[in-house]
Amino acid sequence: SKISSSLGEYQEVIKSKMAETKQQLEPLRVALISGITGQDGSYLTEFLLAKGYEVHGIIRRSSNFNTQRLEHLYIDPHNSSARMKLHYGDLTDASSLRKWVDTICPDEVYNLGAQSHVGVSFENPDYTADVVATGALRLLEAVRTHIETTGRKVKYYQAGSSEMYGATPPPQDETTIFHPRSPYAVSKVAAHWYTVNYREAYGLFACNGILFNHESPRRGENFVTRKITRAVGRIKIGLQKKLFLGNLQASRDWGFAGDYVEAMWLMLQQDKPDDYVVATEDSHTVEEFLEAAFGYVGLNWKDYVAIDPRYFRPSEVDNLRGSAAKAREALGWKPKVDFKQLVAMMVESDLERAKREKVLADNGFIDAHQQP
Ligand code: NDP
Ligand code: GDR
């Protein structure tokens, strides 16, 4: 039995050495991501680095650093082992997109960049259209002209959204008609059709992922799930007393962002480009999210939540629940994290964060009343 166990160990070593050699012999695959500093960008970067990719990201210039979600992945570019590289560019600047596509020569381009807040899109409609709709067109055009000049193969992923279905009732799948209800959603519909058009007109390997809401501890703090879990952490620790929200009756199909980035990658690994819905097929109202999140720490949300009409939207999307049969069957994709686990993951993370804030507040380093 001693001999057979040493043989087993020996076989494992050989297997891992063979995998290492295979990776060294295969050409390094290169990905270019717009929106790398966002929630999905950070999870996709982790995922692609683990698969052995070199990952390039387009970041926009801001007066403060906007790379917090990537800090744990950052290796100084002077170090030869750095496989994530960041470049200044913008979806509103066609020349920057073309320059980086030509310089980096990516195998896969993921267009995740967006002014992605639906409520804000009513306040900044033409900027939203410029980034979300025309930005996608600019990046598609950069990829198309790069392919035309170099003859290279480049695959393109477009971050589409369930918001495109808007007023059309659930369940929503790839055949459901779009009825967008915000400048953001209308812009995503345009980006969707630009992508389809580049596939049909130029034979581009271009896919639309129609992703339903996906959240995580890295979710932007002004989206409703994160706004709630941040407040739960702070209220539990005694840093906050009230949470102001808008429409609590809207229903969403909430999944975990870490699961969804795998679906993006899978779409680009297929023989043919296509469009796919990615969803959990389970939906809950904002009120149910409140119940689950406050309930997780033993509190009743009704004691803390107040309605502020400024969070109501001029036109609302009432009910989204996807049907992801196509992704399940064609991509072999399914979500690993369910609603309850997602809420727990986000509340626990924000509880830890609130504890750290409390230490800083108690020692006078931050103002405890500054509510996020
Ligand atoms: P985030 O808002 O977290 O990230 C958006 C990213 O886009 C950030 O990196 C942001 O940069 C970047 N960006 C904004 N404006 C520009 C610009 N002008 N030029 C270049 N980059 C820009 O979004 P998510 O990660 O949640 O979503 C990723 C994509 O998926 C988005 O397109 C979103 O619309 C779409 N989507 C998201 C869903 C979700 O539930 N999360 C569901 C369906 C679709 P900075 O960090 O500087 O702000
Ligand atoms: P959504 O996400 O609009 O679905 O877009 P968000 O979390 O902003 O809103 C979900 C629902 O909650 C209601 N709501 C509030 N929303 C916010 N942000 N703040 C509040 O205080 C509040 N109170 C109630 C909203 O009215 C809405 O009904 C997200 C984004 O990530 C998009 O980029 C993406 O395309 C879609 O998901 C799928």
Side-chain angles (χ1 to χ4, degrees), residues 1 21 47 50 60 62 77 89 109 121 132 136 189 214 237 269 272 335:
S1 78
T21 316
F47 178 86
R60 37 182 202 159
S62 63
V109 172
S121 80
V132 176
V189 172
H214 44 279
I237 294 299
Q269 312 314 309
K272 286 193 184 136

Side-chain angles (χ1 to χ4, degrees), residues 81-93:
S81 66
R83 280 192 291 118
M84 179 187 75
K85 294 172 189 179
L86 304 176
H87 314 277
Y88 283 114
D90 202 296
L91 284 165
T92 60
D93 181 345

Side-chain angles (χ1 to χ4, degrees), residues 323-371:
S323 168
K326 184 174 170 184
R328 219 174 24 246
E329 280 149 32
L331 306 178
W333 178 87
K334 63 173 192 284
K336 297 182 188 84
V337 175
D338 68 16
F339 178 72
K340 225 173 133 194
Q341 292 166 320
L342 177 68
V343 173
M345 177 201 296
M346 292 178 71
V347 171
E348 275 175 19
S349 164
D350 278 329
L351 206 49
E352 279 311 305
R353 179 151 174 197
K355 283 180 191 161
R356 290 199 298 275
E357 274 175 356
K358 177 90 165 80
V359 174
L360 293 174
D362 287 348
N363 289 284
F365 293 116
I366 59 166
D367 178 357
H369 302 295
Q370 286 293 345
Q371 213 165 296

Side-chain angles (χ1 to χ4, degrees), residues 50 181-182 204 207 210 282 299 352:
R181 298 266 289 167
S182 64
L204 196 72
C207 300
I210 307 176
D282 178 28
L299 298 176
E352 279 311 305

Side-chain angles (χ1 to χ4, degrees), residues 23-136:
Q23 204 172 356
Q24 280 159 4
L25 290 176
E26 273 173 6
L28 193 66
R29 279 200 281 176
V30 178
L32 174 62
I33 304 176
S34 79
I36 192 168
T37 56
Q39 170 188 253
D40 291 6
S42 69
Y43 282 107
L44 181 63
T45 302
E46 268 170 23
F47 178 86
L48 294 175
L49 288 174
K51 289 228 166 276
Y53 278 68
E54 181 172 287
V55 179
H56 293 257
I58 290 172
I59 59 167
R60 37 182 202 159
R61 192 267 159 186
S62 63
S63 65
N64 277 319
F65 282 122
N66 53 3
T67 48
Q68 292 90 332
R69 292 186 180 101
L70 298 170
E71 269 161 14
H72 61 296
L73 301 171
Y74 188 77
I75 298 174
D76 188 296
H78 302 101
N79 182 329
S80 61
S81 66
R83 280 192 291 118
M84 179 187 75
K85 294 172 189 179
L86 304 176
H87 314 277
Y88 283 114
D90 202 296
L91 284 165
T92 60
D93 181 345
S95 66
S96 70
L97 302 177
R98 179 68 205 266
K99 180 179 77 183
W100 290 124
V101 172
D102 282 346
T103 310
I104 292 158
C105 289
D107 302 298
E108 295 169 12
V109 172
Y110 295 86
N111 183 29
L112 310 185
Q115 188 303 92
S116 71
H117 198 285
V118 173
V120 171
S121 80
F122 287 100
E123 283 159 32
N124 298 310
D126 57 352
Y127 174 70
T128 302
D130 194 13
V131 177
V132 176
T134 313

